[in-house]
Amino acid sequence: MIRLGLRYKFVFTLLGFTLLVAVPLGILAITRFSDLVESQVRVRWETIAKFWTQEVSIQQVDPNACQRAVENFRHQGLIYFKVVIQGEEICGSHLAPLGPQALEILGTPLRDREVPSKPATFVKKINPFRDTAFLAMTYVWPVMKVHYKIEFYEDETGQLQRREIRQETPTFSALQLGIDLSAAQSLVRREATLITLVVGGYVLIALFIAIAFYKMILGPAETLAHALQRFRRDPSARVHIATGDELEMLAHEFNTMADTIEERNRRLEQINTELIKANRAKSDFLAMMSHELKTPLHAIRGYSQLLLEGVDGPLTAAQREDIENILKSGDHLLELIDNILRFSKLEASEDRPYFEAVEASALGEEAIKAVSALARSKGLELSYHVEPCTLIADGTKIKQALINLLSNAIKYTPAGRIELSGAARENEYIFAVSDTGIGIPEHERTRIFEPFTQLDSSNTREFQGVGLGLAIVKKYVEMHGGRVLVESEVGRGSTFSIVLPLEPPPPIAVQGASANLSTQ
């Protein structure tokens, strides 16, 4: 579909309206003029025919009278002349070469016509192919043809006698003319040329008016529209219109709005730059503090393990229990610090995936082993069934995502069982972690993937953690071009599914996923 600009729509509309009015009027004027000229020719020759027949007395016409008439009317457009008296052709001639079609029309016998009851004129316009158009005019006058019939009869004395019987037969006399219309048509053509020039002049005037109105009204509007289009690409684009009317006021308002938007964008860019710096400083601070905290924490855990092994002497039951609690707390703190380190790297876009061929069942088995001790400590049943399949993925990150999901399931399941399953479906591989825990309300299922978010964020919450586990899972999975799905019912448990493509994502997608990590 062709899309026209405002300029062409306005010009074409005005030209179309002008043509719609001027052309029919021109055609009507030419037609009326042609009819008027032909009517004048017809009336003139009808008058000539009537006067000629009255003056000459058509019943007494002889060939000499026909010849004189031909000579008199030769220069007035007469091209055919024929006189019929009482149904018999007296004289006839044509003054110009006529085509076969014209001769056929003019040569039609007049006796075939219906005899009128009073004088009448029959006129027909003939337009033969490739010949000059002409009027075929026939002036008909009804007459009675008188003839005598000789009849012989016997009188009273028996003598043979002769007598004449008068008989009258209705017939007609006629004058048939062919009038050349070339002069009239030449006049019509000149008039048609003049009318065509007038119509063309009106079209040119309409074009000039359309251009003038466009420059005065639509031109500034189109300039403003182009400025709006440029503004989307270049915020510094402005429009300058000096028409002294509402369009100039509209252009001024547009420039004011553009200045306001440009200033606001500048301020937002400045704020965004500051926020990026603050976010990077936060991430750097978290990474540095987490790294610094791990050094003394490893020392605490190491000395606790040495004490439990009896390096410094035997321990009482109470001392052993206290040291075991210290070690458990250290392990928990170490897990928190590791999550903070991972998230800081993700925020800083420093943690990129390394794709290689990994076995899905091996990832599931290693994840189960990593959390089996935690599940036993809570008395939970832990099972897994992961179908073998070779994936092109970052095995470390997928395993960590599974460990985080399993750890969350164990954390929020007071009693029951935890199950890890894996299966290929079409072009995807799906890991699913199901539990019989407390469940997740529907309105919380999106919020739980946000950083530092937990179901219970109160100071007296039962479940510990900083709320980074699911956020890390989501970002690790999105690095692989996958997605995380949640199905849950409060009080009956939850199922978290990791859906991964069997084919590795393209490099652009990987980079885009990594770049998006800092914006989530």
Side-chain angles (χ1 to χ4, degrees):
M1 181 179 179
I2 300 176
R3 301 183 64 181
L4 297 177
L6 193 60
R7 173 192 315 174
Y8 298 104
K9 288 181 180 179
F10 181 78
V11 172
F12 288 161
T13 300
L14 190 54
L15 286 180
F17 177 76
T18 303
L19 290 173
L20 189 64
V21 174
V23 171
L25 287 178
I27 294 174
L28 178 62
I30 294 172
T31 304
R32 293 293 301 274
F33 183 77
S34 176
D35 293 341
L36 179 61
V37 171
E38 291 179 5
S39 176
Q40 290 176 350
V41 173
R42 172 179 174 176
V43 171
R44 177 174 175 273
W45 279 99
E46 284 181 355
T47 304
I48 290 175
K50 290 178 181 178
F51 275 103
W52 189 81
T53 54
Q54 291 177 5
E55 180 180 353
V56 178
S57 180
I58 196 167
Q59 279 76 15
Q60 300 176 4
V61 170
D62 56 26
N64 293 328
C66 292
Q67 187 64 30
R68 288 195 302 272
V70 168
E71 293 298 330
N72 291 335
F73 299 123
R74 177 187 298 272
H75 302 293
Q76 299 185 31
L78 184 66
I79 60 173
Y80 186 83
F81 187 88
K82 184 168 68 172
V83 177
V84 177
I85 295 179
Q86 296 183 358
E88 299 294 334
E89 182 177 339
I90 300 302
C91 62
S93 64
H94 51 84
L95 285 70
L98 299 176
Q101 186 179 5
L103 289 174
E104 180 181 356
I105 294 172
L106 292 173
T108 302
L110 294 174
R111 65 176 66 91
D112 293 342
R113 296 180 182 270
E114 181 182 356
V115 178
S117 60
K118 58 182 180 179
T121 302
F122 301 98
V123 181
K124 182 179 180 182
K125 183 179 179 181
I126 309 300
N127 289 291
F129 181 69
R130 293 183 179 177
D131 286 335
T132 303
F134 62 91
L135 287 179
M137 180 182 296
T138 304
Y139 180 70
V140 182
W141 187 273
V143 295
M144 297 298 295
K145 184 176 182 180
V146 179
H147 61 90
Y148 294 90
K149 180 179 180 182
I150 299 176
E151 184 180 72
F152 294 93
Y153 67 93
E154 293 182 359
D155 58 10
E156 295 176 354
T157 61
Q159 298 267 341
L160 185 64
Q161 301 290 333
R162 174 183 172 182
R163 63 181 177 185
E164 293 182 354
I165 299 176
R166 179 186 175 95
Q167 293 182 343
E168 294 183 352
T169 303
T171 182
F172 62 88
S173 297
L175 173 64
Q176 187 175 10
L177 305 175
I179 298 98
D180 186 7
L181 292 178
S182 59
Q185 289 180 336
S186 178
L187 183 61
V188 170
R189 282 195 294 270
R190 288 198 299 270
E191 192 68 19
T193 302
L194 179 60
I195 294 175
T196 303
L197 292 176
V198 172
V199 172
Y202 274 115
V203 172
L204 289 177
I205 292 173
L207 179 61
F208 292 147
I209 292 175
I211 294 174
F213 271 95
Y214 166 75
K215 289 183 177 179
M216 289 189 297
I217 300 175
L218 300 180
E222 195 174 40
T223 302
L224 183 59
H226 290 162
L228 288 171
Q229 292 177 347
R230 292 197 309 271
F231 183 75
R232 291 189 299 178
R233 302 186 301 269
D234 181 13
S236 64
R238 298 293 183 271
V239 60
H240 302 285
I241 298 175
T243 56
D245 52 17
E246 289 81 358
L247 290 172
E248 182 177 352
M249 181 185 67
L250 187 62
H252 175 72
E253 293 298 327
F254 167 76
N255 292 335
T256 303
M257 178 195 68
D259 292 339
T260 303
I261 293 175
E262 186 176 15
E263 176 63 21
R264 188 169 299 172
N265 287 342
R266 187 187 63 79
R267 291 176 58 190
L268 287 175
E269 288 178 1
Q270 183 178 359
I271 293 172
N272 189 43
T273 302
E274 294 175 356
L275 288 175
I276 291 175
K277 290 180 180 179
N279 185 57
R280 184 172 294 276
K282 180 257 303 182
S283 299
D284 293 342
F285 173 77
L286 289 176
M288 182 186 66
M289 290 303 297
S290 299
H291 181 73
E292 293 298 326
L293 288 174
K294 287 180 71 173
T295 301
L297 181 58
H298 283 306
I300 293 172
R301 293 180 69 254
Y303 284 118
S304 298
Q305 289 176 348
L306 290 176
L307 290 174
L308 287 176
E309 293 174 1
V311 173
D312 294 331
L315 300 174
T316 63
Q319 290 173 337
R320 179 174 293 276
E321 182 179 357
D322 291 338
I323 294 176
E324 288 177 350
N325 289 333
I326 292 173
L327 190 58
K328 289 180 181 179
S329 297
D331 291 339
H332 179 65
L333 182 58
L334 181 60
E335 181 183 357
L336 296 180
I337 292 173
D338 287 339
N339 280 338
I340 292 174
L341 279 173
R342 293 190 190 98
F343 189 76
S344 298
K345 289 182 179 180
L346 290 172
E347 287 282 290
S349 300
E350 295 176 357
D351 197 359
R352 302 293 180 88
Y354 175 72
F355 292 96
E356 59 181 349
V358 294
E359 182 57 46
S361 58
L363 295 178
E365 185 177 356
E366 292 175 6
I368 288 292
K369 289 180 180 179
V371 299
S372 59
L374 182 61
R376 284 196 303 271
S377 65
K378 292 189 65 174
L380 300 176
E381 179 185 351
L382 186 62
S383 62
Y384 74 98
H385 177 71
V386 180
E387 296 180 1
C389 182
T390 301
L391 304 177
I392 305 300
D394 188 323
T396 303
K397 289 180 172 51
I398 297 301
K399 182 178 71 174
Q400 186 61 50
L402 294 175
I403 291 174
N404 286 4
L405 290 180
L406 289 168
S407 300
N408 263 20
I410 294 172
K411 182 192 300 185
Y412 292 103
T413 303
R417 59 183 176 82
I418 311 294
E419 181 180 0
L420 170 63
S421 62
R425 185 185 63 186
E426 296 181 353
N427 295 325
E428 297 175 331
Y429 193 88
I430 302 176
F431 289 102
V433 176
S434 304
D435 62 59
T436 57
I438 61 175
I440 305 170
E442 185 174 357
H443 65 278
E444 296 283 353
R445 293 176 191 173
T446 302
R447 195 175 68 88
I448 57 176
F449 290 99
E450 297 176 2
F452 306 103
T453 300
Q454 288 186 309
L455 286 178
D456 183 8
S457 300
S458 63
N459 293 330
T460 58
R461 64 180 183 268
E462 177 183 357
F463 305 101
Q464 300 299 316
V466 293
L468 289 177
L470 291 180
I472 293 173
V473 171
K474 184 173 183 293
K475 293 188 177 185
Y476 277 175
V477 172
E478 288 178 348
M479 281 182 180
H480 291 74
R483 61 191 186 279
V484 182
L485 306 178
V486 182
E487 296 178 3
S488 183
E489 184 177 351
V490 176
R492 298 180 65 89
S494 306
T495 299
F496 284 80
S497 300
I498 295 177
V499 182
L500 299 173
L502 294 179
E503 296 293 331
I508 296 178
V510 176
Q511 294 174 6
S514 301
N516 289 334
L517 297 175
S518 60
T519 61
Q520 298 183 6

